[in-house]
């Protein structure tokens, strides 16, 4: 006797039900820097860890797909967190770099300001020292001997010769109030008719501030040929004296701030005089007897 199939039997013998579908919920991305530490923990959980997931009905293909998705998600989260870390490191470098640059600019501006102030002070000192030129005055000339004669030069040409031995007293005054000067003379010359017949030199020396010094220089010339200029020599000597010209140059240099700031002045002196070979005496130069330039 066949029994009618019960509802329970019909259910049990029915076709097998299909495998249940799995649903995955992607966790939100880590957008803020504060959640960086959560990237490796929250995103690394697998869908298999969900308690609502029916593990007993999961097929082998579904497990493989879930493993791939979970692995891809882990790799993506790791890459995202590395990018965020690199960006934060770059921001830190930019931040500290921005702090370092203003410090360097401040140091550079400080050095430039100090240089400008120092240059301004040096310029003021240099300008204040310009009016203080060394003052030179030829005081007198003593003629020891002067004589002339006729003869021949080295080539045998007949001419007249002139020999002079004299000394000049020169007064140098330094008017500067706050610095000394180094004084050097150019060659001191005694000239007759544009021919130098006697020369003298003075060594360089240092002269303190607000000081006066008298220098004596010897001028000597022996057997100087005059050639055509000697024809009027005897006539000039007989009529009162032989005209000469005394010329000298003096250079003064003052160091105000070491060798960084210095002042330099050059003076040229030209004095006219007459010497008689028979009546030699000291020649006193008046103020208007010499030209000072």
């Amino acid at each position: 006797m066949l029994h009618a199939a019960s509802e329970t039997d019909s259910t049990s013998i029915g076709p097998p039900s299909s495998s249940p579908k799995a649903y995955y919920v992607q966790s939100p991305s880590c957008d803020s820097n504060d959640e960086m530490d959560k990237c490796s923990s929250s995103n690394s959980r697998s869908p298999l860890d969900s308690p609502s997931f029916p593990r007993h009905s999961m097929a082998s293909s579904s497990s493989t797909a879930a493993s791939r998705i979970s692995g891809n998600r882990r790799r993506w989260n790791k890459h995202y967190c590395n990018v965020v870390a690199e960006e934060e490191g770059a921001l830190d470098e930019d931040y500290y770099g921005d702090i370092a640059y203003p410090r360097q600019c401040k140091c550079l501006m400080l050095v430039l300001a100090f240089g400008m102030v120092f240059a301004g002070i040096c310029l003021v000192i240099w300008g204040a020292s310009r009016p203080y030129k060394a003052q030179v005055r030829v005081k007198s000339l003593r003629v020891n001997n002067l004589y002339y004669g006729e003869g021949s030069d080295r080539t045998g040409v007949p001419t007249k010769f002139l020999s002079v031995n004299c000394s000049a007293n020169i007064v140098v005054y330094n008017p500067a109030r706050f610095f000394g000067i180094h004084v050097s003379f150019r060659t001191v010359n005694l000239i007759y008719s544009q021919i130098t017949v006697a020369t003298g030199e003075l060594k360089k020396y240092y002269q303190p501030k607000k000081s006066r010094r008298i220098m004596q220089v010897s001028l000597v010339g022996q057997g100087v040929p005059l050639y055509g200029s000697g024809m009027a020599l005897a006539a000039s000597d007989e009529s009162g004296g032989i005209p000469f010209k005394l010329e000298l140059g003096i250079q003064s240099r003052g160091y105000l701030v070491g060798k960084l700031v210095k002042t330099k002045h050059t003076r040229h002196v030209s004095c006219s005089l007459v010497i008689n070979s028979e009546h030699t005496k000291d020649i006193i130069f008046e103020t208007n007897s010499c030209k000072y330039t």
Side-chain angles (χ1 to χ4, degrees):
M1 182 175 179
L2 298 175
H3 296 281
S6 62
E7 184 180 357
T8 304
D9 295 337
S10 63
T11 304
S12 61
I13 64 176
S17 60
S18 60
S19 300
K21 297 182 181 180
Y23 295 92
Y24 304 95
V25 178
Q26 184 177 357
S27 59
S29 60
C30 301
D31 294 333
S32 62
N33 294 332
D34 297 337
E35 296 180 357
M36 275 193 60
D37 297 336
K38 301 179 182 179
C39 292
S40 59
S41 59
S42 63
N43 293 329
S44 60
R45 298 181 60 184
S46 172
L48 298 176
D49 298 334
S50 176
S52 62
F53 189 82
R55 298 183 182 181
H56 63 276
S57 62
M58 183 69 178
S60 61
S61 59
S62 299
S63 296
T64 304
S67 299
R68 291 180 180 177
I69 293 173
S70 178
N72 292 335
R73 184 176 292 107
R74 291 193 188 98
R75 286 193 295 271
W76 185 89
N77 289 334
K78 182 178 181 181
H79 173 72
Y80 175 79
C81 293
N82 291 338
V83 170
V84 172
E86 291 178 358
E87 290 180 354
E88 288 187 349
L91 290 175
D92 292 340
E93 292 178 358
D94 293 341
Y95 175 75
Y96 290 109
D98 293 340
I99 294 177
Y101 282 128
R103 291 178 180 175
Q104 296 177 358
C105 293
K106 289 180 180 178
C107 293
L108 181 60
M109 292 177 63
L110 182 62
V111 172
L112 292 177
F114 177 78
M116 293 179 64
V117 172
F118 181 75
I121 294 174
C122 293
L123 184 61
V124 171
I125 295 175
W126 178 81
S129 66
R130 292 296 296 172
Y132 296 101
K133 298 181 180 180
Q135 299 177 6
V136 185
R137 186 173 70 87
V138 179
K139 185 177 181 180
S140 62
L141 178 71
R142 171 173 292 184
V143 181
N144 299 321
N145 57 65
L146 185 150
Y147 60 91
Y148 54 90
E150 295 183 0
S152 300
D153 61 4
R154 295 180 180 179
T155 61
V157 176
T159 183
K160 288 191 176 186
F161 292 89
L162 180 64
S163 296
V164 181
N165 186 351
C166 59
S167 59
N169 292 327
I170 303 170
V171 180
V172 181
Y173 174 67
N174 178 20
R177 299 180 179 179
F178 53 91
F179 64 92
I181 57 175
H182 297 267
V183 181
S184 60
F185 284 87
R186 298 178 180 178
T187 304
V188 184
N189 298 326
L190 185 65
I191 300 172
Y192 167 74
S193 186
Q194 299 182 353
I195 298 175
T196 301
V197 296
T199 60
E201 292 183 357
L202 282 172
K203 293 183 179 180
K204 183 179 179 179
Y205 71 93
Y206 174 78
Q207 186 164 339
K209 57 185 178 180
K210 300 291 291 184
S211 62
R212 188 185 306 272
R213 187 169 182 177
I214 299 176
M215 305 296 298
Q216 187 176 39
V217 54
S218 297
L219 294 92
V220 179
Q222 296 290 337
V224 180
L226 301 178
Y227 299 108
S229 300
M231 298 180 63
L233 183 63
S236 299
D237 190 23
E238 292 176 358
S239 63
I242 303 172
F244 289 93
K245 183 179 291 185
L246 180 65
E247 292 186 353
L248 63 94
I250 180 174
Q251 185 180 79
S252 62
R253 189 187 301 270
Y255 298 99
L256 308 178
V257 184
K259 291 188 177 181
L260 295 177
V261 181
K262 55 187 177 181
T263 178
K264 178 181 177 182
H265 299 285
T266 302
R267 301 296 302 272
H268 182 76
V269 183
S270 177
C271 302
S272 301
L273 64 149
V274 176
I275 302 175
N276 192 301
S277 61
E278 296 181 358
H279 306 282
T280 58
K281 60 181 180 179
D282 292 350
I283 301 173
I284 306 300
F285 294 97
E286 302 294 337
T287 305
N288 55 358
S289 300
C290 300
K291 295 180 179 180
Y292 300 91
T293 57

